[in-house]
Amino acid sequence: MLSAEAPLVDTAVLDSNNNDTTINDTPTPAPDTATSSLIEDVTLTIIAHPYLDELADKIRNEPIPWEGYERAGLITADEVAMIQHVENKSSEEITHVMSEHGLYYAGMYLDLMHKLARVDAVQKVLVMIQDMLNEHDERIVLFHQASEGRPGYPFAPFHKALRINDEFIGIQSSKLLALLVCSTKNRDIDIDDFFRWMTFQLQSRNPSLIELNIQILDALFHIPAYRKSFWNTLHAMDSFINVLKKGTSNPQVTYEAVFALWLLTFDEEIAANLNRKYDVIPMLVEIAKSAVKEKIIRVVVATFKNLVEKAPKANLSAMLVAKLLPFTEHLHTRKWSDQEVVNDIDLIQAELQNNFQSLTTFEVYASELETGKLEWSPPHQSENFWQKNAVRLNENDHQLLKMLARLLSSNKTEILAIACHDVGQYAKYAGADGKKYLHDLGAKQRVMELMTHEDQEVRYYALSATQKYFAMSS
């Protein structure tokens, strides 16, 4: 049973031979928190990729002049001796050394990360740390033990390394930070700086780096406080959502990205604002429809469940607009290996059906504006609807009218045509102030520009709206 709200203590996983997301079934339970058995064999993402292994192998074979560093006063003779005792040794030899002296090596590696600045030396230290932890993730605890009484440790040396302009140092330090964070109750006070750094990494053109960073987020988001930290980091969510929107041909990467999103939705504030800011509901519907792996659909469904349970008012209407109800009806007919998926689908379907029956026509229309998913539904074409509701677009400082005005810049012709039509209906029924509001928002000017649009339907409704606008002013 996976508890996404549980603090993961001493459960960090490192496996360089497995690039799939796996989770054990021993998370520390958190009292009075929401739980989910989305995938019973998952608790913490493995942070691994062949690309990272290839970089490490190249660095491992490069000689480093440690004696020269000693003569320069950068490291001590004892440190040189300890390095040479494990450098380029077999895993069996390293295991023997670490079983007796692991705590001393953890302390030395932290010191080296803190005081060294040369790229080749820092790379080598990071590879030695990886060799220390390989198939022995429990040794990560040694870094915490070696940091007792040392303010900022064990996190600070790896934060320092992030400032070095090197791809391997950046991603390997990030991975170790994630493992350190997820293996202690102590919080990394510089996590905001870490997330700012990751924001840029998520914009990389290297898909391997993006996947590794998504895996790191999967690990960090198991800790509730870090979800909010990432959410509040400038441009962090934009970079993350762009990864999802661009899509990938790799089902594993898609799964890892949606898994991170699912973890974020355990936070009520995030669940309430996620779709409003990033329009994720229709995107998730499309991901589930095109998924070839059942686990992708499962994590999408679990995300919808969180959105329904944590923030129903913010999400149910948008789900109806995205046609999630008929999609859940389709999912209900499929065979599932996990009964909890069936339960989640039933819950979502029931909530959507109840919400659909209670929605007024105006709420349906408002949801279309809020999501930007205009279509020729009955409200648009009903004169009675506009007679009753045109002035309601002025409520809350013209919030809905502003949304309608923004849709006049859509890159989709159907949305442009519908938006022009609606502006015309608003101008016709909103009263004497309607003209002024449209002018102030720039909607009048934009509609007039659309009279020369290449699409015939857009031109027609733009002309019609313009005529209604000027008829209103006469």
Side-chain angles (χ1 to χ4, degrees), residues 4 6-8 43-45 47 155 159 174-183 187-188 191 194-195 198 212-230 259-260 263-264:
L8 299 185
T43 51
L44 186 59
T45 301
I47 304 168
F155 307 117
H159 280 290
S174 297
K175 181 172 80 170
L176 290 169
L177 275 169
L179 295 177
L180 289 167
V181 161
C182 294
S183 56
R187 292 295 167 250
D188 181 356
I191 194 70
F194 186 21
F195 282 146
M198 289 191 69
L212 282 160
N213 277 280
I214 292 294
Q215 291 174 2
I216 290 168
L217 291 179
D218 281 349
L220 295 173
F221 289 169
H222 279 80
I223 300 171
Y226 292 162
R227 300 168 194 162
K228 188 63 68 64
S229 295
F230 185 82
F259 189 87
L263 290 172
L264 285 173

Side-chain angles (χ1 to χ4, degrees), residues 241 244-245 261 274-285 304 307:
I241 295 296
L244 270 170
K245 287 186 174 179
L261 192 70
L274 183 63
N275 188 71
R276 180 179 63 83
K277 288 188 174 182
Y278 300 105
D279 197 24
V280 298
I281 288 174
M283 176 183 67
L284 289 172
V285 171
F304 284 144
L307 293 175

Side-chain angles (χ1 to χ4, degrees), residues 1-4 6-15 18-28 38-48 137-138 140 144 174-184 214-224 226-227 252 255-256 259-260 262-263:
M1 188 75 70
L2 169 62
S3 173
L8 299 185
V9 181
D10 296 342
T11 59
V13 179
L14 177 62
D15 181 354
N18 188 341
N19 191 36
D20 198 1
T21 301
T22 60
I23 296 183
N24 62 50
D25 56 359
T26 57
T28 304
L38 170 63
I39 302 169
E40 292 183 352
D41 60 348
V42 181
T43 51
L44 186 59
T45 301
I46 289 171
I47 304 168
D137 53 278
E138 74 281 355
I140 197 72
H144 295 291
S174 297
K175 181 172 80 170
L176 290 169
L177 275 169
L179 295 177
L180 289 167
V181 161
C182 294
S183 56
T184 180
I214 292 294
Q215 291 174 2
I216 290 168
L217 291 179
D218 281 349
L220 295 173
F221 289 169
H222 279 80
I223 300 171
Y226 292 162
R227 300 168 194 162
Q252 180 60 28
Y255 170 78
E256 290 164 352
F259 189 87
W262 170 67
L263 290 172

Side-chain angles (χ1 to χ4, degrees), residues 374-376 407-421 446 450 453-462:
L374 298 185
E375 56 183 51
W376 287 114
L407 292 175
L408 292 170
S409 297
S410 173
N411 57 6
K412 296 182 179 180
T413 55
E414 183 179 41
I415 291 178
L416 283 177
I418 299 172
C420 286
H421 169 272
R446 179 56 182 157
L450 290 172
H453 194 275
E454 60 184 13
D455 183 82
Q456 180 178 355
E457 188 176 36
V458 174
R459 292 198 304 270
Y460 171 80
Y461 286 107

Side-chain angles (χ1 to χ4, degrees), residues 200-239:
F200 290 100
Q201 302 308 303
L202 290 169
Q203 300 168 22
S204 171
R205 295 182 179 180
N206 184 336
S208 299
L209 288 184
I210 289 177
E211 180 176 3
L212 282 160
N213 277 280
I214 292 294
Q215 291 174 2
I216 290 168
L217 291 179
D218 281 349
L220 295 173
F221 289 169
H222 279 80
I223 300 171
Y226 292 162
R227 300 168 194 162
K228 188 63 68 64
S229 295
F230 185 82
W231 175 262
N232 290 330
T233 299
L234 186 64
H235 302 311
M237 281 300 300
D238 301 87
S239 298

Side-chain angles (χ1 to χ4, degrees), residues 106-243:
M108 181 191 71
Y109 289 147
L110 288 170
D111 287 338
L112 293 177
M113 289 297 298
H114 176 71
K115 64 187 179 181
L116 293 176
R118 284 182 58 98
V119 170
D120 57 348
V122 176
Q123 287 178 335
K124 196 72 167 206
V125 174
L126 288 168
V127 169
M128 289 191 291
I129 295 174
Q130 176 172 309
D131 292 342
M132 173 186 177
L133 297 175
N134 189 30
E135 297 183 2
H136 289 279
D137 53 278
E138 74 281 355
R139 290 178 186 154
I140 197 72
V141 178
L142 297 175
F143 289 86
H144 295 291
Q145 294 173 354
S147 300
E148 292 180 6
R150 307 183 72 183
Y153 274 48
F155 307 117
F158 299 101
H159 280 290
K160 173 179 172 288
L162 294 180
R163 296 194 289 270
I164 299 175
N165 186 23
D166 179 79
E167 189 176 86
F168 176 79
I169 291 175
I171 195 63
Q172 188 71 12
S173 297
S174 297
K175 181 172 80 170
L176 290 169
L177 275 169
L179 295 177
L180 289 167
V181 161
C182 294
S183 56
T184 180
K185 293 180 180 179
N186 298 327
R187 292 295 167 250
D188 181 356
I189 61 174
D190 294 320
I191 194 70
D192 294 335
D193 288 336
F194 186 21
F195 282 146
R196 281 190 285 271
W197 186 86
M198 289 191 69
T199 297
F200 290 100
Q201 302 308 303
L202 290 169
Q203 300 168 22
S204 171
R205 295 182 179 180
N206 184 336
S208 299
L209 288 184
I210 289 177
E211 180 176 3
L212 282 160
N213 277 280
I214 292 294
Q215 291 174 2
I216 290 168
L217 291 179
D218 281 349
L220 295 173
F221 289 169
H222 279 80
I223 300 171
Y226 292 162
R227 300 168 194 162
K228 188 63 68 64
S229 295
F230 185 82
W231 175 262
N232 290 330
T233 299
L234 186 64
H235 302 311
M237 281 300 300
D238 301 87
S239 298
F240 172 66
I241 295 296
N242 282 338
V243 172

